[in-house]
Amino acid sequence: MEQRKKVAIIVAGGSGSRMQSAIPKQFLELAGKPVLYHTIAAFANAFPDMRIVLVLPEAHFETAEKVLTHFEVRPDITLVKGGETRFHSVRNGLQQAGSNAVVFVHDGVRPLVSTSLIRRCYEAALSHGSAIPVIDMKDSIRETNAMGNRAVDREKYKIVQTPQTFLSEIILPAFDQPYDPLFTDEATVAEHMGHFVHLVAGEEANIKITRPLDLVIAAALLAER
């Protein structure tokens, strides 16, 4: 298998509004260290040559530097200013990626991503051009419309996670497109360029921390590890 550069774009633009917290959720404490520390550590530990690009509001740079003091050896990390939407933030981060790379785009508030999932996404992206981690829906779901609502088959749907992973020659040109409000994640941006996106098995534990309850669950999952 060819060797490519590995670049993780970690997007940490959250404000913490749903957490009822003055501190943005990526900086809240989880098992004695900030949420963002755990996220960065997962990528730093997955591959020794991983380059990390942390995209966040400029006002948070100082706090991010404090997060990095928790590392005994500072990872290879570059701080980049975010944009007005996730699309623009990712685009800013991608300017650091360069060519001949496998690029991972990951939510800063998914601190429990495993090194094995990161490696699985890397291998799948080399084989298929992209790797989008997904998990099955467990709940029954209903579709609502003007007429009312109806049950739909959950087997036809998947829950999408990150890191959404791509070869640089696919994702870089995709983000040269003009912004469209329908771009909800990187997969939709790549699809808009006509690329097929390849799904891989995600992880139940790879939760996104958006509410106070999520921190409790994450702490319990970390304690189990």
Side-chain angles (χ1 to χ4, degrees), residues 87-88 91 94 170-180 183 185-195:
F87 174 88
H88 295 97
R91 178 190 273 173
L94 287 171
I170 288 174
I171 199 65
L172 293 178
F175 271 82
D176 284 337
Q177 297 178 92
Y179 171 67
D180 186 319
F183 293 157
D185 61 0
E186 294 67 55
T188 50
V189 180
E191 263 180 339
H192 198 258
M193 284 281 282
H195 294 291

Side-chain angles (χ1 to χ4, degrees), residues 13 20 24 28 93 99 107 111 121 125-126 135 142 154 165 182 187 197-198 209:
Q20 292 93 52
L28 291 171
S99 58
D107 299 319
C121 287
L126 285 182
I135 57 171
R142 299 188 72 83
R154 69 180 171 207
T165 310
L182 296 174
V197 295
H198 178 75
I209 299 201

Side-chain angles (χ1 to χ4, degrees), residues 9-15 26 53-61 79-95 175 179:
I9 315 283
I10 297 176
V11 188
S15 63
Q26 57 269 24
V53 178
L54 182 58
V55 187
L56 70 176
E58 205 164 13
H60 295 166
F61 276 23
L79 269 52
V80 169
K81 188 179 164 191
E84 57 185 287
T85 67
R86 182 193 173 90
F87 174 88
H88 295 97
S89 292
V90 172
R91 178 190 273 173
N92 290 355
L94 287 171
Q95 288 170 5
F175 271 82
Y179 171 67

Side-chain angles (χ1 to χ4, degrees), residues 74-190:
R74 183 188 168 105
D76 178 4
I77 192 160
T78 308
L79 269 52
V80 169
K81 188 179 164 191
E84 57 185 287
T85 67
R86 182 193 173 90
F87 174 88
H88 295 97
S89 292
V90 172
R91 178 190 273 173
N92 290 355
L94 287 171
Q95 288 170 5
Q96 305 290 322
S99 58
N100 196 38
V102 171
V103 181
F104 307 83
V105 182
H106 189 67
D107 299 319
V109 289
R110 286 189 192 268
L112 301 184
V113 60
S114 71
T115 53
S116 61
L117 178 57
I118 293 167
R119 290 171 185 159
R120 183 155 73 243
C121 287
Y122 175 77
E123 297 296 339
L126 285 182
S127 303
H128 302 279
S130 62
I132 310 298
V134 297
I135 57 171
D136 293 335
M137 296 200 87
K138 289 201 178 59
D139 300 324
S140 296
I141 56 171
R142 299 188 72 83
E143 182 184 318
T144 58
N145 55 40
M147 307 298 291
N149 62 81
R150 66 185 186 102
V152 290
D153 180 7
R154 69 180 171 207
E155 297 297 321
K156 291 182 178 172
Y157 297 89
K158 298 287 183 190
I159 296 169
V160 180
Q161 300 184 329
T162 67
Q164 300 197 1
T165 310
F166 302 86
L167 300 182
S168 53
E169 56 267 35
I170 288 174
I171 199 65
L172 293 178
F175 271 82
D176 284 337
Q177 297 178 92
Y179 171 67
D180 186 319
L182 296 174
F183 293 157
T184 53
D185 61 0
E186 294 67 55
T188 50
V189 180

